[in-house]
Amino acid sequence: MTTKASLFLAISMTGLGLLSGFGHDDHSHDEAGPNGGRLITTVEPHVEFLVTKDRKVQLTFLKKDNKTAIPPAAQVVSVVAGKRFRARTLTFSKHGGSLLSDKALPKGDDLPTTVTIHLKPGAEKHRAKFHLTFSK
């Protein structure tokens, strides 16, 4: 391997190592929501992010016990999921005690995902970033 190739490989691996931790604290691996979804704890109240059988996203706002749902009020939420140029933006509407996405997630596995939440229109935005993985 040439010196240039070795240097490029070393820099690339370092960059990947740094990026792999980006946004890592935006969610908890230890706790699941009441429906088995991922908890987003960067916003109060916490939010359960659940992928339904038809690959839509269901968001449920939770009380402090992380078990009891709070009916959606004036929250404005969007989710961007998918690889760079094939990312899909999902918007949400009220569905029972949760918010449900208008579209399904894009096909594939290991989808970069960004959730943006405004607790009310015009309020400060809260973001959570993670990779959505379907395989175990």
Side-chain angles (χ1 to χ4, degrees):
M1 189 180 296
T2 68
T3 305
K4 281 185 180 179
S6 296
L7 182 59
F8 177 75
L9 181 60
I11 292 171
S12 297
M13 295 306 286
T14 301
L16 286 174
L18 292 173
L19 289 176
S20 66
F22 183 74
H24 188 77
D25 291 333
D26 288 348
H27 63 276
S28 169
H29 289 282
D30 301 326
E31 280 188 87
N35 300 305
R38 172 189 306 260
L39 275 184
I40 298 174
T41 59
T42 57
V43 62
E44 285 290 337
H46 293 170
V47 180
E48 180 184 32
F49 181 101
L50 178 73
V51 178
T52 65
K53 289 179 183 176
D54 57 353
R55 290 181 68 98
K56 288 189 175 186
V57 175
Q58 176 182 305
L59 298 172
T60 305
F61 290 84
L62 302 169
K63 291 185 179 179
K64 289 196 183 286
D65 64 5
N66 286 340
K67 295 180 187 331
T68 311
I70 299 171
Q75 297 95 337
V76 178
V77 180
S78 69
V79 170
V80 178
K83 308 281 184 192
R84 288 184 163 229
F85 298 107
R86 295 182 184 211
R88 183 173 292 171
T89 301
L90 310 177
T91 57
F92 291 81
S93 58
K94 292 180 185 179
H95 183 77
S98 301
L99 297 175
L100 188 64
S101 65
D102 60 334
K103 300 178 252 193
L105 290 164
K107 292 181 181 181
D109 192 15
D110 193 30
L111 302 173
T113 304
T114 302
V115 181
T116 304
I117 301 168
H118 297 266
L119 294 176
K120 57 185 176 183
E124 174 187 2
K125 65 181 159 192
H126 301 274
R127 277 211 174 110
K129 295 182 180 185
F130 50 88
H131 280 256
L132 193 55
T133 306
F134 295 96
S135 63
K136 294 200 177 200

